């Protein structure tokens, strides 16, 4: 190891704790802290339900199964007295298109009070290209999304990313009848909101990076996160200035 000049490290679970925590909602043009979410607000409750239904993780008797990002979404519900199992029983899943790294999104079809609804979650930039409508504060029905709406969403996404938060976008679409989902169904969506999460750095990461630099070793962080989010985490642990 005496001639090592570069150390490359994975970010998630190595430099960070791999324990996602929901920090903020962004819905109807408002940023809402996780501890200020109001389950009596229909739009906020709808976004929570969307994040539980378009989700493959479980947490039963304290045993978490699934991706840490997804398990935190259902844990948030539990903290507000909304259990994932009950939501999923009320709105059973009929079909799904699983997440994949090319599409950067996942979709489920659920039966909701006799209607069939597609719930979608994924990367903000990907979903924005597929969103045609938005539900605005105080409006009864979704309206056509305009350029100003898109700019506000993009601006909020950038703000979250600069704070080192991982951001997921959520959308939905009502179907005329039950059907087998296709990739074409993931278009013409209604924007539900954004959920921003934090995966905090490990306490020992900063010291390890400091010792590497002192020894003349260049530490490199490798991640699939958005570059702005990655840069915020890298700054926290001293990899970049």
């Amino acid at each position: 190891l005496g001639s090592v000049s570069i150390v490359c490290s994975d970010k998630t679970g190595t430099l960070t704790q791999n324990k996602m925590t929901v920090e903020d909602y962004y819905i109807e043009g408002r940023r809402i802290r996780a501890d200020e979410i109001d389950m009596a607000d229909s739009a906020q409750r709808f976004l929570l339900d969307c994040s539980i239904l378009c989700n493959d993780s479980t947490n039963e008797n304290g045993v978490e199964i699934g991706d840490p990002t997804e398990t935190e979404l259902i844990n948030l519900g539990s903290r507000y007295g909304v259990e994932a199992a009950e939501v999923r029983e009320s709105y059973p899943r009929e079909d799904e298109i699983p997440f994949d790294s090319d599409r950067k999104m996942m979709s489920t079809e659920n039966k909701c009070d006799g209607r069939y609804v597609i719930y979608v979650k994924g990367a903000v930039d990907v979903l924005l290209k597929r969103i045609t409508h938005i539900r605005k504060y105080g409006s009864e029905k979704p309206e056509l999304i305009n350029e100003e709406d898109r700019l506000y969403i993009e601006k909020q996404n950038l703000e979250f990313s600069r704070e080192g938060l991982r951001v997921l976008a959520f959308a939905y679409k009502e179907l005329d009848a039950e059907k087998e989902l296709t990739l074409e169904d993931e278009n013409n969506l209604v924007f539900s909101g954004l959920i921003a999460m934090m995966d905090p750095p490990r306490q020992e990461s900063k010291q390890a990076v400091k010792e590497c630099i002192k020894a003349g070793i260049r530490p490199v962080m490798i991640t699939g996160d958005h570059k702005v989010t990655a840069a915020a985490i890298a700054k926290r642990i001293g990899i970049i200035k």
Side-chain angles (χ1 to χ4, degrees):
L1 290 173
S3 59
V4 167
S5 58
I6 297 174
V7 171
C8 294
S9 172
D10 179 39
K11 179 185 78 70
T12 306
T14 305
L15 295 173
T16 64
Q17 298 176 25
N18 200 23
K19 292 181 181 178
M20 300 301 293
T21 305
V22 172
E23 297 282 327
D24 293 273
Y25 270 16
Y26 175 77
I27 190 165
E28 296 180 327
R30 296 174 293 158
R31 179 175 180 172
I32 303 164
R33 284 176 41 184
D35 57 2
E36 295 175 350
I37 293 169
D38 181 8
M39 287 297 101
D41 182 285
S42 60
Q44 294 177 45
R45 174 59 195 263
F46 183 82
L47 180 56
L48 179 70
D49 286 348
C50 188
S51 71
I52 289 172
L53 294 170
C54 190
N55 186 324
D56 287 330
S57 69
T58 59
N59 184 354
E60 296 181 7
N61 302 317
V63 179
E64 295 181 352
I65 299 175
D67 180 83
T69 299
E70 291 198 328
T71 54
E72 169 55 14
L73 292 172
I74 63 171
N75 289 342
L76 176 70
S78 296
R79 294 197 289 274
Y80 280 97
V82 180
E83 296 302 331
E86 295 174 9
V87 175
R88 290 167 178 172
E89 187 176 344
S90 299
Y91 308 126
R93 184 182 295 189
E94 304 295 330
D95 199 7
E96 69 174 299
I97 305 177
F99 176 87
D100 72 58
S101 55
D102 291 329
R103 285 168 38 254
K104 294 184 179 179
M105 55 196 296
M106 167 189 178
S107 300
T108 65
E109 177 187 351
N110 296 76
K111 188 175 183 180
C112 305
D113 302 322
R115 298 171 295 113
Y116 292 92
V117 181
I118 298 175
Y119 295 100
V120 186
K121 81 166 184 285
V124 179
D125 56 339
V126 172
L127 253 66
L128 266 180
K129 294 173 185 175
R130 299 166 181 264
I131 287 166
T132 56
H133 289 73
I134 186 170
R135 205 168 199 155
K136 296 185 178 179
Y137 186 67
S139 62
E140 290 291 321
K141 294 181 179 180
E143 303 173 12
L144 280 170
I145 193 168
N146 58 42
E147 195 58 33
E148 187 180 24
D149 297 325
R150 291 182 186 277
L151 288 173
Y152 272 121
I153 295 169
E154 289 171 351
K155 181 181 176 183
Q156 186 59 66
N157 180 44
L158 185 60
E159 185 178 313
F160 281 145
S161 297
R162 282 176 173 160
E163 294 174 21
L165 300 173
R166 180 181 294 176
V167 189
L168 284 174
F170 292 82
Y172 72 98
K173 180 171 73 173
E174 291 193 20
L175 298 172
D176 295 329
E178 182 180 7
K179 61 168 295 190
E180 186 175 326
L181 288 183
T182 66
L183 295 179
E184 188 60 33
D185 292 314
E186 295 181 322
N187 293 304
N188 304 315
L189 303 171
V190 182
F191 178 73
S192 297
L194 306 177
I195 298 181
M197 289 172 272
M198 166 65 80
D199 180 12
R202 290 181 182 271
Q203 289 184 344
E204 60 269 29
S205 294
K206 193 170 185 177
Q207 183 60 31
V209 166
K210 186 178 179 180
E211 290 177 4
C212 274
I213 294 170
K214 186 179 179 181
I217 299 169
R218 180 189 174 200
V220 176
M221 185 180 79
I222 300 177
T223 176
D225 280 358
H226 189 285
K227 63 181 179 181
V228 177
T229 307
I233 296 292
K235 285 178 182 175
R236 286 180 186 225
I237 58 179
I239 285 181
I240 60 175
K241 303 299 182 186

